Amino acid sequence: MSARFHDHLRARPGHPHRSRPVVLNTWEAVYFDHDLDRLTHLADLGAEVGVERFVLDDGWFRHHRDDRSGLGDWYVDETVWPGGLRPLIDHVRAPGALANAQSAGDGLSGRTPAPPTDPGTPWAAGSGSPQRPGAR
């Protein structure tokens, strides 16, 4: 039954026909312990084994230094990333490195403000603005 359903979904005109990218999500590797050298090294290791998308998970935005604090501030935490995310993004997108960089916005809450439209925001290096989630 599920195979038939998957076949039906894959037959739709808008369904992508390319393989899904190999993803490296930083959460399990660093949790909230973000460090540029550590993350660029992780990106390099990922590129060596064929990772195609680098996802910078929790820990990059303000007011979220542990799993008991608020989620969804769209602004880079200057105390963690004094130079912003651009050095990491540039490293990940350099020739011979990973093909894509994006940030994870999966833990947003209903109090999360709308994302800024500034092209310097973290998801600008990925695949478009994140969508605000509904109630969980």
Side-chain angles (χ1 to χ4, degrees), residues 78-94:
E78 299 87 4
T79 62
V80 178
W81 293 95
L85 294 177
R86 181 56 50 195
L88 178 62
I89 292 168
D90 289 346
H91 182 86
V92 167
R93 299 186 91 198

Side-chain angles (χ1 to χ4, degrees), residues 62-127:
R62 296 185 300 194
H63 314 301
H64 193 58
R65 302 308 322 138
D66 59 47
D67 61 358
R68 291 179 293 286
S69 58
L71 292 171
D73 184 332
W74 296 106
Y75 298 93
V76 175
D77 188 330
E78 299 87 4
T79 62
V80 178
W81 293 95
L85 294 177
R86 181 56 50 195
L88 178 62
I89 292 168
D90 289 346
H91 182 86
V92 167
R93 299 186 91 198
L98 304 176
N100 197 338
Q102 68 183 50
S103 63
D106 59 330
L108 306 178
S109 69
R111 295 181 301 241
T112 300
T117 56
D118 175 6
T121 51
W123 54 85
S127 55

Side-chain angles (χ1 to χ4, degrees), residues 24-47:
L24 186 159
N25 183 302
T26 63
W27 178 246
E28 296 290 335
V30 300
Y31 295 103
F32 295 103
D33 188 18
H34 285 212
D35 172 78
L36 179 60
D37 291 335
R38 185 177 186 188
L39 288 165
T40 55
H41 179 68
L42 185 62
D44 292 343
L45 293 173

